[in-house]
Amino acid sequence: CCHSTVSYRPIRPSDLEILEQIHGDIFPIRYESEFFQDVVHGHGIVSWAAVDHSRGDGKGDELIGFVTARVVLATESEIVDLLDYDSAESEWSLVYILTLGVVDKYRNLGIASSLILEVIKYACSIPTCRAVYLHVISYNFPAIHLYKKMSFKCIRKLLGFYLIDGQHYDSYLFVYFVQGC
Ligand code: ACO
């Protein structure tokens, strides 16, 4: 199929509309328009888009998948306790994955795995970075399977972390340590 024609690039301002549309289609949580503005302008957010060059109708550069992430200070994160942290390491950072998604038709081709590898490579390129981490809602089995396959460790269950349509749902916190890679 299309695998070899898929490539990865940063998300840019021209992706705004499709980025918002896909988030709306595949996530149960609504994101503010400020979030999408920050993504496409790279304001405090790093991102990768997947595109399929073999698509017709001028869609060869249209998003079929994405990952968005933020670099955070380890001291300000909820996983500082996992890091053997002491005051000498005040500069340690982490990469927090905000959103990851692939449009339905392109799933199970390894695109999300490739997007995660881009994030891991980026994290490894930051000398102060110690880990990549993320939250996933507890019923999202495809995503949980994917993170385990990518060697993320499930380190915490957060009860009632998500509030969707007035209902609470648990989340799992997954971490991939990058020290030494
Ligand atoms: N149950 C268990 N595993 C599944 C299921 C399922 N229903 N469906 C697919 N999988 C497995 C596949 O078999 C494959 O694993 P394998 O290689 O061992 O066979 C793996 O999940 C998929 O790997 P990829 O092809 O790399 O992933 P894909 O490109 O299909 O994208 C994703 C996965 C991102 C979870 C996609 O399904 C999606 O966009 N879902 C909706 C949005 C979402 O849930 N995003 C993640 C939320 S968490 C966050 O954003 C931080």
Side-chain angles (χ1 to χ4, degrees):
C1 159
C2 30
H3 215 150
S4 59
T5 60
V6 174
S7 70
Y8 302 88
R9 61 162 175 80
I11 294 175
R12 357 181 229 252
S14 57
D15 298 318
L16 181 63
E17 201 178 323
I18 188 83
L19 182 75
E20 283 205 59
Q21 189 195 310
I22 303 174
H23 274 73
D25 288 346
I26 69 177
F27 291 118
I29 295 164
R30 297 290 144 241
Y31 292 89
E32 304 288 326
S33 67
E34 196 186 336
F35 167 70
F36 299 108
Q37 290 290 342
D38 288 346
V39 172
V40 301
H41 292 106
H43 289 158
I45 292 181
V46 287
S47 67
W48 290 262
V51 298
D52 176 8
H53 302 295
S54 72
R55 280 177 95 187
D57 301 337
K59 291 189 168 184
D61 193 46
E62 189 176 288
L63 264 63
I64 55 164
F66 57 81
V67 62
T68 66
R70 189 190 292 289
V71 179
V72 299
L73 277 176
T75 41
E76 288 168 9
S77 81
E78 66 197 291
I79 62 164
V80 64
D81 57 305
L82 297 176
L83 296 171
D84 252 345
Y85 175 84
D86 74 50
S87 55
E89 283 93 31
S90 61
E91 312 231 302
W92 280 4
S93 62
L94 305 167
V95 174
Y96 179 59
I97 296 182
L98 297 158
T99 63
L100 167 74
V102 173
V103 301
D104 218 5
K105 191 171 148 243
Y106 282 91
R107 289 188 188 163
N108 291 313
L109 296 171
I111 293 172
S113 305
S114 297
L115 286 163
I116 291 171
L117 282 179
E118 294 291 335
V119 177
I120 291 173
K121 268 194 288 174
Y122 171 74
C124 289
S125 78
I126 303 173
T128 55
C129 186
R130 286 295 167 268
V132 178
Y133 77 108
L134 57 88
H135 293 103
V136 59
I137 203 159
S138 59
Y139 61 72
N140 190 344
F141 301 113
I144 290 166
H145 175 94
L146 172 69
Y147 300 134
K148 287 185 174 164
K149 185 181 78 175
M150 302 297 293
S151 305
F152 280 67
K153 302 286 171 256
C154 183
I155 56 124
R156 215 163 270 164
K157 184 175 192 177
L158 301 159
L159 300 178
F161 180 82
Y162 291 105
L163 179 62
I164 301 168
D165 295 332
Q167 251 207 281
H168 288 281
Y169 298 90
D170 302 339
S171 85
Y172 293 115
L173 200 158
F174 277 88
V175 181
Y176 182 98
F177 293 97
V178 300
Q179 190 165 22
C181 70

